[in-house]
Amino acid sequence: MPVTHTHTHTHTRTDADADAVADAAVDADADADTRAALDRAALDVTTAGLPAWLDPVAQAARSVRPQQLSRFLPPESGAGRQSAVLILFGEGARGPELLLMERAGTLRSHPGQPSFPGGSLDPDDGDQATTGPLRAALREAEEETGLDPRGVQLFGVLPRLYIPVSSFVVTPVLGWWRAPSPVGVVDPAETARVFTVPVADLTDPANRATAVHPSGHSGPAFLVESALVWGFTAGVIDRIVHYAGWERPWDRARQVPLDWRA
């Protein structure tokens, strides 16, 4: 009897466990299907429903050539670390705005520098020539700022550019923050802060300057939100502002020196 009782009890528990595993598998399949559906929707690139003020940016994205954005272009050999950034426009209290973050000062690559959310492509991101950069831009933005990618409408992709100092081949992905979600620092080891900048501040001549590195390199810079935006990020913003027709005359002779750590 004791043996029979033990056998019966174990058999009953195993059946219950099997049912639970089956239910969990169904739930997992449903979650996977939901994630896949959201992924497909998020990866659609469309200008439908964009606010009118973004039309010039979408139009520029369709016509701009790589050489018009930067003199640093990906090596013809195909070398370089494939990556993507999300250039996310939203609507804030002061009108159109852009999402930026400040990289942690302890990072080896571009420490302490304001930047777009983004990073290297992972194998799971898919084909680097098609949807891989789109998926990477959204994934990295979620990991770095906590934004909900389901609220982002991708509306354009700029030509791939190159950052020689880090060998990154960068695909800039344009997004409209159709349904804003809370954002902030997710991992202090990677991000010092997350902030938005009104487009009006980026186009204000008083906030513009030329950043000069001790190496001799110079380029556009923006002094906004207690930050000096320079380098790759400032260069892309400068070209978007220009080709969208938002640029106002500014003093290019006004210089902001950088130090060797920059």
Side-chain angles (χ1 to χ4, degrees):
M1 287 293 294
V3 173
T4 303
H5 173 74
T6 303
H7 174 74
T8 303
H9 180 71
T10 303
H11 179 72
T12 303
R13 186 174 60 215
T14 302
D15 286 346
D17 288 346
D19 289 343
V21 169
D23 289 343
V26 170
D27 290 342
D29 288 342
D31 288 344
D33 289 342
T34 300
R35 285 195 301 271
L38 291 172
D39 191 42
R40 287 192 298 271
L43 293 180
D44 284 341
V45 179
T46 176
T47 58
L50 282 184
W53 60 266
L54 269 179
D55 287 343
V57 180
Q59 184 175 352
R62 290 191 293 267
S63 60
V64 72
R65 299 188 301 276
Q67 296 84 353
Q68 293 176 301
L69 295 177
S70 174
R71 68 178 186 271
F72 299 116
L73 303 181
E76 294 182 2
S77 65
R81 302 163 62 189
Q82 296 296 324
S83 63
V85 295
L86 180 64
I87 303 175
L88 185 59
F89 290 94
E91 191 95 44
R94 293 183 52 204
E97 61 184 15
L98 191 62
L99 179 69
L100 295 176
M101 49 172 273
E102 184 177 315
R103 296 169 59 81
T106 53
L107 292 175
R108 288 191 304 172
S109 178
H110 312 295
Q113 190 171 345
S115 68
F116 303 116
S120 299
L121 269 68
D122 285 347
D124 290 344
D125 290 327
D127 185 1
Q128 66 184 39
T130 55
T131 58
L134 309 181
R135 189 175 285 107
L138 290 171
R139 174 183 55 75
E140 286 283 345
E142 181 179 14
E143 292 175 0
E144 292 176 330
T145 73
L147 73 78
D148 186 344
R150 293 173 297 183
V152 176
Q153 175 183 332
L154 303 182
F155 68 89
V157 180
L158 297 177
R160 293 189 306 161
L161 304 174
Y162 188 59
I163 304 179
V165 68
S166 57
S167 299
F168 276 117
V169 175
V170 187
T171 299
V173 179
L174 299 169
W176 158 238
W177 212 351
R178 177 176 43 79
S181 54
V183 292
V185 173
V186 175
D187 183 358
E190 290 193 1
T191 308
R193 65 171 175 143
V194 177
F195 59 102
T196 57
V197 181
V199 171
D201 287 352
L202 293 169
T203 60
D204 186 344
N207 297 331
R208 305 211 55 181
T210 297
V212 181
H213 194 273
S215 65
H217 172 75
S218 64
F222 300 84
L223 295 96
V224 290
E225 299 296 324
S226 303
L228 173 63
V229 184
W230 63 281
F232 173 84
T233 302
V236 174
I237 294 174
D238 172 75
R239 294 295 81 194
I240 290 175
V241 166
H242 174 76
Y243 287 109
W246 297 341
E247 187 173 32
R248 297 160 59 188
W250 58 281
D251 184 5
R252 298 175 186 273
R254 179 191 181 195
Q255 295 186 349
V256 177
L258 303 171
D259 61 34
W260 281 106
R261 294 173 297 174

